[in-house]
Amino acid sequence: MTVHLFLGPTLSAAEAAEVLDAVILPPVAHGDVYRAAQRGATVIGIVDGYFEGVPSVWHKEILWAMREGVHVFGSASMGALRAVELSPFGMEGVGDVFEAYQRGELEDDDEVAVAHAPAAYGYRALSVAMVNIRATLSAAEARGVVRPATCAALLRIAKQLFYPDRSYPRLLSEAAAAGLDPGELSALKGFLPEGQVDRKRADALAMLRAIEARLAAGLAPKQVRYHFEATIFWDSLRQAAAPLDEPRDEGGEGSWMQSALLDEARLHPVAYALARKGALTRLLSRALSEEHAARPLGEEVDAAILSFRRARGLWDAGAMEGWLRENGLRAEEFARLMESEAQVAAVQRWAAPHISAHLVDQLRLDDLYVRLWARARDKQRSLEEAGLADPDLAAAPLSREALLSWYLERRGEGAAPRDLAEAARRAGFRDEPMFLRALLREYHYVRLREAPERSCRASEIPPGPPRPA
């Protein structure tokens, strides 16, 4: 049996090793329980965990690990919180902190939160957990060091402090400022060096001893009764999980670069808003595909790859490899991206007949409705006056290929392949004839607007958005 323990400021690795033979890991974070189970853990014990700066461990990954036969224990800190929340599903909580939450005596997460030093300094606690302050003041009251009323006042003061600021010197200072009895505060100060109660550490050791006893008695694989529902969010966790032996990037280059990139994007609000909408479309497309168990077919992914490379002129292997390097992607990551593109394309095809009303509303929200509506009205009026409201390609002064070339060049895509079907799809038209008609109307309208005899009335119409309208 292989035991993995997630420890930090509550209990040191050296102390844990004296009690139990286990793989000792840093405080648990998002994806760590999944990784531990993937690495062969049969028992997982959670004591400490991240909750600020680094995403916290998901309930979902604990449920998945138990479904896979792994026994998961929790105690003292983050482990106690998750054990209370997941005890109906089979996670096992150990210790006074867990039981206090279970009985409803404690409710707030900050009761177990502490500030701590980084890994290089052994995750040493830099503040005192509220549950430890409660236990210590209770012991002081039981010993007659402080009266019950003073104990209650001290607890109120400690609770009002932000968790990183909780320490006994700070508590005594705040209590003195609040006018509490100086004699009792002096007695408490003398009591603290020997009288402090580390409730969290005691609970963590109790969990290790409980695991040891269960192992000695023989521990069969965990059995659960619930159905585990795989979702798009679960899939994202699995894809993002890195090996446990890779150090967590707590502000290193990887996280810094991603944060810097997103900060840069946020400073360009129009581009950022478009990126957010695109990301939301991608997320919802994957969710719909998963809900209907409809993964893209191989030919659909191939089509997405072809479209991607055509749009960027990445025809030869060298150009493609260069793009991957510049964008920080491996080949397998690019394949997943293209599968996502195929999902988006499928959802867009499905949504096309139903989306028009929503598109109009979005144009209003984007402040484009008035400008585009004015241009559309002027285009219709101008084309009707010129007898070109429903133009025919046969009567046009240019071929299909030349018309598409004109359109792409006006968009700044002069080097793009002249594929009418692909261009129609990318532009959002239902089919080629619909796209071709729109191109002809735009072509004739632009020529009419650029003609010297264009009326003053027409020239006063506000210009459209970036070409073509």
Side-chain angles (χ1 to χ4, degrees):
M1 305 290 281
T2 305
V3 181
H4 284 64
L5 298 176
F6 292 97
L7 304 175
T10 299
L11 189 69
S12 71
E15 290 175 302
E18 293 179 1
V19 180
L20 187 63
D21 180 20
V23 176
I24 308 297
L25 299 165
V28 72
H30 172 263
D32 285 346
V33 166
Y34 172 77
R35 285 186 282 262
Q38 287 285 80
R39 287 295 184 87
T42 52
V43 177
I44 293 174
I46 301 174
V47 174
D48 294 300
Y50 288 99
F51 61 95
E52 280 188 351
V54 177
S56 299
V57 59
W58 277 10
H59 303 76
K60 191 89 173 181
E61 57 189 294
I62 297 173
L63 293 171
W64 176 83
M66 293 192 294
R67 198 278 306 268
E68 294 297 302
V70 179
H71 292 263
V72 184
F73 293 79
S75 180
S77 193
M78 177 64 77
L81 296 176
R82 289 294 182 263
V84 169
E85 295 154 347
L86 297 178
S87 59
F89 300 93
M91 185 174 176
E92 301 180 53
V94 178
D96 291 341
V97 174
F98 164 76
E99 292 173 3
Y101 276 112
Q102 189 85 310
R103 292 190 299 267
E105 296 171 7
L106 298 177
E107 294 182 352
D108 301 331
D109 292 358
D110 79 304
E111 290 282 338
V112 295
V114 297
H116 63 80
Y121 297 94
Y123 301 104
R124 181 172 61 86
L126 302 177
S127 63
V128 181
M130 189 66 204
V131 291
N132 286 353
I133 292 175
R134 290 184 187 280
T136 298
L137 292 178
S138 179
E141 180 186 338
R143 293 271 296 274
V145 177
V146 294
R147 293 176 294 118
T150 304
C151 181
L154 287 165
L155 286 173
R156 285 194 297 272
I157 293 171
K159 186 66 173 175
Q160 289 169 358
L161 293 172
F162 187 34
Y163 79 88
D165 299 330
R166 288 177 184 148
S167 68
Y168 291 113
R170 177 68 181 274
L171 175 60
L172 291 170
S173 174
E174 295 287 336
L180 270 63
D181 184 89
E184 287 185 274
L185 295 181
S186 178
L188 178 60
K189 183 177 180 180
F191 168 83
L192 287 173
E194 301 296 331
Q196 289 185 43
V197 179
D198 194 339
R199 192 178 187 185
K200 289 177 64 176
R201 179 178 179 275
D203 282 6
L205 289 170
M207 185 189 76
L208 267 58
R209 288 191 287 267
I211 293 173
E212 183 183 37
R214 293 285 297 280
L215 291 173
L219 200 56
K222 184 77 174 179
Q223 298 290 322
V224 298
R225 293 186 175 183
Y226 54 80
H227 168 69
F228 181 86
E229 185 72 29
T231 66
I232 183 174
F233 305 105
W234 173 246
D235 184 56
S236 70
L237 180 146
R238 290 192 300 106
Q239 292 186 18
L244 272 170
D245 53 6
E246 292 184 6
R248 178 173 294 115
D249 190 349
E250 302 173 42
E253 182 179 4
S255 64
W256 181 88
M257 287 302 295
Q258 179 166 314
S259 177
L261 172 67
L262 293 178
D263 283 350
E264 196 67 25
R266 293 181 183 106
L267 292 174
H268 297 78
V270 175
Y272 184 65
L274 290 173
R276 279 179 60 87
K277 289 176 183 177
L280 179 60
T281 298
R282 191 172 304 281
L283 177 65
L284 296 177
S285 297
R286 291 182 61 186
L288 282 170
S289 297
E290 187 168 280
E291 180 181 349
H292 298 288
R295 292 182 66 85
L297 300 175
E299 54 266 30
E300 293 174 328
V301 177
D302 290 342
I305 293 173
L306 179 62
S307 174
F308 175 87
R309 296 183 71 167
R310 176 188 292 129
R312 292 160 180 81
L314 302 173
W315 295 113
D316 63 85
M320 187 69 225
E321 290 172 2
W323 187 92
L324 291 175
R325 282 195 305 273
E326 290 173 355
N327 287 271
L329 286 177
R330 297 190 296 269
E332 60 271 20
E333 293 170 328
F334 176 73
R336 287 197 296 269
L337 179 61
M338 290 299 99
E339 182 174 326
S340 176
E341 279 290 275
Q343 289 173 328
V344 171
V347 170
Q348 286 176 336
R349 288 193 297 271
W350 167 80
H354 319 287
I355 205 171
S356 295
H358 300 287
L359 280 172
V360 172
D361 285 340
Q362 190 60 51
L363 291 173
R364 292 185 173 101
L365 292 172
D366 291 340
D367 293 327
L368 292 172
Y369 178 88
V370 173
R371 185 170 54 174
L372 293 178
W373 179 235
R375 195 173 190 275
R377 284 183 303 175
D378 185 62
K379 178 186 288 188
Q380 182 65 20
R381 184 165 49 243
S382 299
L383 293 177
E384 286 178 352
E385 290 174 357
L388 294 168
D390 192 15
D392 183 1
L393 181 63
L398 70 177
S399 66
R400 287 164 52 99
E401 292 73 19
L403 180 63
L404 179 58
S405 177
W406 171 85
Y407 165 73
L408 292 174
E409 287 170 0
R410 285 180 63 81
R411 286 188 54 181
E413 298 183 22
R418 306 303 196 252
D419 186 325
L420 188 62
E422 174 67 12
R425 185 194 66 79
R426 288 171 56 193
F429 287 90
R430 182 180 64 244
D431 51 32
E432 289 185 43
M434 182 181 180
F435 181 43
L436 188 59
R437 180 178 182 274
L439 285 182
L440 281 170
R441 284 170 55 83
E442 176 69 7
Y443 173 78
H444 288 299
Y445 177 60
V446 169
R447 285 173 60 85
L448 288 170
R449 290 188 65 176
E450 293 174 351
E453 63 272 17
R454 178 67 170 156
S455 70
C456 294
R457 173 189 55 78
S459 65
E460 292 169 358
I461 297 296
R467 298 174 297 181

